[in-house]
Amino acid sequence: MLDLKKILENIDEYAQKLSYKKFNLDKDYLINLNNKISSIRTECQQLQSERNKGADKVGQLMREKDKNLKEIEQIKAEMSKVSDKVKALESELNTLENELRNYMMRMPNIPDEKTPIGKDEDENVVLQYVGQKPNFDFQPLEHHILGEKMDILDMDRASKLSGARFSVLKGAGARLEMAVRNFLFECAIENGYTPVSVPVLVGRNIMEGTGQLPKFEEDMFKTVSNGKELFLIPTAEVPVTNLFNNEILNEDELPIRYSCLSNCFRVEAGSAGKDVKGMFRQHQFDKVEMVRFATPKQSWAEFDSLVNCAKKILDKLKLHYRVVALCTGDLGFSACYCNDLEVWLPGQNKYREISSCSNMLDFQARRANMRYKNKETKKNEYIHTMNGSGLPIGRTVIAIIENYQQKDGSILIPEVLKKYLPYEKIDANGQLV
């Protein structure tokens, strides 16, 4: 959530920056709503003061030897009317404050100055290419074609179980996935992250804390049991970031770095007809998420370190990729700046996102009320949060299948995975040899 005071003090600047993220700030509505709330608060305070003075007056009259009961009853009657006015105003104030909160909760984070201005993903900016594209003396296949040909991937039976956008890995495919899972989990630990295991079902307020709700509810899977509403997490960012929901940390505790391997669930409501083949865009997938909490002074150094952690993983797997700065039109709701790592997939003959690293500054902390005690100012200030994929299991398996495929239809096992899967390759028949 943005700082309302800063918005009102710089409303034209905020309106411009929010427009880059396709949010039309209704300046008059926001100013008038805030003024109305301020006016009612002031009136409430004045009436409460009047009521307190009346109560003091009644107390004073009651202590007198010759009580003027008529005057006392008159004052009580007047104060009863004042109390009724206060209750009505407080009810109106509560309605208006909820209206303001709902409007603010739908307002995205503003882009940082370093974020390129652009309309959509076509205007993202490539910052760096890393490694070389693999050379093939044959036409490389897409992962789902090769996987089904080798009988290590079964999309049809997954569809029978759950419908579209699900997959079944079996035999060597399932073992490759497990090896990737263990490798990525250990990489996060090696990079200084404390592993955490968290629930994949969370409450509405937790989804609001990181910015998934209220705007993106149609993209979330939801359960209701015995009247209790819980959401399936779209990423471990949601529960891990909210571990400090409504808490105040000591400055010496920061930075904090957590990693989490979890199931993730997404409806993919806005992706109809896109990536329907294979495992790339699924309703259920597993991912190692890296989450960091920092002071404002630590924020950008921590973000750069976060991106480097994701890059190191791809370097270890010897996969070619590029680093991209997302433009304003492609930037996520809560992010002020984002670097995507896009791995080269020769079967698709294109770069595809495999890690997205975002800095939220204090946007999520304001929504979730996460603060730290500043040692210098002695004041409670909002924490900065950031997160990145390190990496998604399925997309990493896809990248390995497509980049390590051989002319004879086999898939070589990357050297760094042989600790977890001690074989040279998966042969054309889907056997580990």
Side-chain angles (χ1 to χ4, degrees):
M1 186 179 293
L2 295 173
D3 185 334
L4 177 61
K5 183 180 177 182
K6 287 182 179 179
I7 295 174
L8 294 171
E9 289 174 348
N10 308 277
I11 196 157
D12 290 330
E13 177 187 345
Y14 271 79
Q16 179 66 59
K17 290 182 176 180
L18 286 166
S19 72
Y20 294 145
K21 293 185 79 171
K22 304 171 185 176
F23 184 89
N24 180 26
L25 178 64
D26 191 333
K27 295 185 286 185
D28 291 338
Y29 167 78
L30 187 62
I31 291 171
N32 292 335
L33 181 57
N34 184 69
N35 287 343
K36 193 170 184 179
I37 288 171
S38 297
S39 176
I40 293 174
R41 279 179 184 156
T42 300
E43 189 176 354
C44 273
Q45 290 168 358
Q46 290 171 346
L47 288 171
Q48 286 166 347
S49 177
E50 183 181 337
R51 186 174 57 185
N52 292 338
K53 287 177 182 178
D56 291 341
K57 181 64 175 177
V58 168
Q60 180 183 338
L61 291 172
M62 291 293 290
R63 289 191 294 271
E64 291 180 358
K65 194 170 186 179
D66 297 320
K67 299 180 180 66
N68 188 335
L69 297 178
K70 186 176 180 181
E71 183 179 2
I72 289 172
E73 289 305 316
Q74 184 179 354
I75 294 173
K76 283 184 176 180
E78 290 173 356
M79 290 307 100
S80 178
K81 291 179 182 178
V82 170
S83 292
D84 289 342
K85 285 183 182 179
V86 169
K87 286 179 182 177
L89 287 171
E90 286 178 340
S91 176
E92 184 180 2
L93 182 62
N94 183 60
T95 299
L96 293 174
E97 286 177 337
N98 284 335
E99 183 180 339
L100 177 60
R101 181 181 183 276
N102 289 337
Y103 187 73
M104 294 292 294
M105 290 289 278
R106 290 182 177 276
M107 193 181 295
N109 200 356
I110 59 171
D112 186 77
E113 292 179 356
K114 64 168 80 55
T115 297
I117 296 173
K119 294 180 180 179
D120 53 37
E121 62 183 13
D122 292 332
E123 297 187 60
N124 292 340
V125 176
V126 177
L127 302 177
Q128 181 186 18
Y129 288 93
V130 181
Q132 300 294 322
K133 293 180 182 179
N135 292 317
F136 295 96
D137 58 359
F138 62 95
Q139 181 61 46
L141 299 176
E142 290 189 55
H143 73 281
H144 60 94
I145 297 173
L146 183 58
E148 291 185 322
K149 188 176 180 181
M150 299 170 72
D151 198 29
I152 62 173
L153 174 64
D154 194 329
M155 303 302 297
D156 289 337
R157 286 192 172 91
S159 180
K160 179 175 68 175
L161 296 175
S162 308
R165 297 193 187 278
F166 290 92
S167 61
V168 169
L169 284 163
K170 57 182 180 178
R175 294 188 65 180
L176 175 61
E177 181 191 48
M178 185 61 69
V180 168
R181 185 189 305 268
N182 291 333
F183 166 68
L184 295 178
F185 187 70
E186 285 197 11
C187 280
I189 296 172
E190 289 173 5
N191 284 320
Y193 291 86
T194 299
V196 293
S197 180
V198 295
V200 297
L201 287 165
V202 298
R204 178 174 289 272
N205 67 310
I206 299 304
M207 295 286 277
E208 289 177 343
T210 43
Q212 275 71 29
L213 295 181
K215 184 176 181 182
F216 302 107
E217 187 158 351
E218 67 174 9
D219 289 320
M220 307 302 156
F221 284 102
K222 180 170 66 174
T223 68
V224 180
S225 179
N226 296 322
K228 185 176 182 180
E229 174 191 71
L230 289 172
F231 291 84
L232 288 159
I233 62 170
T235 164
E237 167 202 345
V238 175
V240 175
T241 301
N242 276 284
L243 285 173
F244 299 118
N245 187 296
N246 207 31
E247 290 188 27
I248 301 172
L249 303 179
N250 293 320
E251 184 176 346
D252 291 338
E253 296 179 73
L254 300 169
I256 294 172
R257 302 166 183 169
Y258 284 154
S259 66
C260 182
L261 170 57
S262 76
N263 301 129
C264 306
F265 305 88
R266 297 182 186 177
V267 172
E268 298 289 357
S271 303
K274 185 178 181 181
D275 296 316
V276 293
K277 294 180 179 180
M279 302 193 302
F280 192 82
R281 194 179 301 275
Q282 302 211 284
H283 290 315
Q284 177 184 334
F285 59 97
D286 294 345
K287 177 162 64 84
V288 174
E289 188 73 4
M290 305 178 293
V291 177
R292 297 194 182 202
F293 307 85
T295 67
K297 289 181 179 179
Q298 298 165 340
S299 187
W300 287 109
E302 284 296 302
F303 174 76
D304 290 340
S305 175
L306 174 75
V307 175
N308 285 332
C309 286
K311 291 170 67 176
K312 286 178 186 176
I313 299 169
L314 293 172
D315 293 339
K316 284 186 175 184
L317 288 167
K318 297 184 178 179
L319 294 170
H320 169 58
Y321 62 96
R322 66 184 185 183
V323 184
V324 176
L326 266 58
C327 73
T328 52
D330 196 33
L331 192 61
F333 179 84
S334 297
C336 77
Y337 183 71
C338 179
N339 283 169
D340 274 4
L341 306 188
E342 297 180 345
V343 69
W344 175 251
L345 296 182
Q348 296 188 31
N349 195 38
K350 63 174 67 173
Y351 293 96
R352 302 303 302 268
E353 177 205 326
I354 197 167
S355 179
S356 189
C357 300
S358 302
N359 194 340
M360 318 299 182
L361 299 184
D362 64 1
F363 184 80
Q364 291 178 326
R366 286 180 178 276
R367 296 171 75 97
N369 194 29
M370 298 182 292
R371 295 169 292 168
Y372 75 99
K373 178 75 72 175
N374 187 309
K375 290 192 296 186
E376 292 183 9
T377 65
K378 308 301 180 184
K379 294 181 180 179
N380 296 329
E381 300 178 10
Y382 287 106
I383 292 169
H384 281 199
T385 62
M386 59 212 73
N387 63 73
S389 313
L391 304 167
I393 312 302
R395 292 191 182 187
T396 305
V397 169
I398 290 171
I400 291 168
I401 289 174
E402 293 201 12
N403 281 276
Y404 280 86
Q405 61 182 296
Q406 303 297 301
K407 192 172 185 177
D408 64 0
S410 64
I411 302 168
L412 297 181
I413 305 298
E415 201 63 37
V416 291
L417 290 187
K418 290 180 180 177
K419 172 183 176 182
Y420 315 95
L421 192 62
Y423 296 90
E424 290 301 315
K425 63 182 180 180
I426 305 173
D427 69 19
N429 297 315
Q431 301 300 310
L432 287 162
V433 293

